[in-house]
Amino acid sequence: MEKTENEVSGQQVKTWICSVCGYAHDGAEPPKKCPRCGVDAMYFDPVE
């Protein structure tokens, strides 16, 4: 099975946007804390 650029190690990679500062993160899950403003992962929304 061929992997698309949005798949890494069998996990679907999404773009997550911090709703506080707008920081964008690419990964299967949002970061535990925003590296820019420090809020928790609950403030990250997936980009559809």
Side-chain angles (χ1 to χ4, degrees), residues 11-39:
Q11 294 181 345
Q12 187 70 16
V13 174
K14 297 179 183 177
T15 298
W16 301 85
I17 302 291
C18 176
S19 62
V20 176
C21 71
Y23 172 78
H25 170 81
D26 291 325
E29 299 291 327
K32 292 186 189 284
K33 289 210 177 267
C34 179
R36 184 181 291 165
C37 69
V39 297

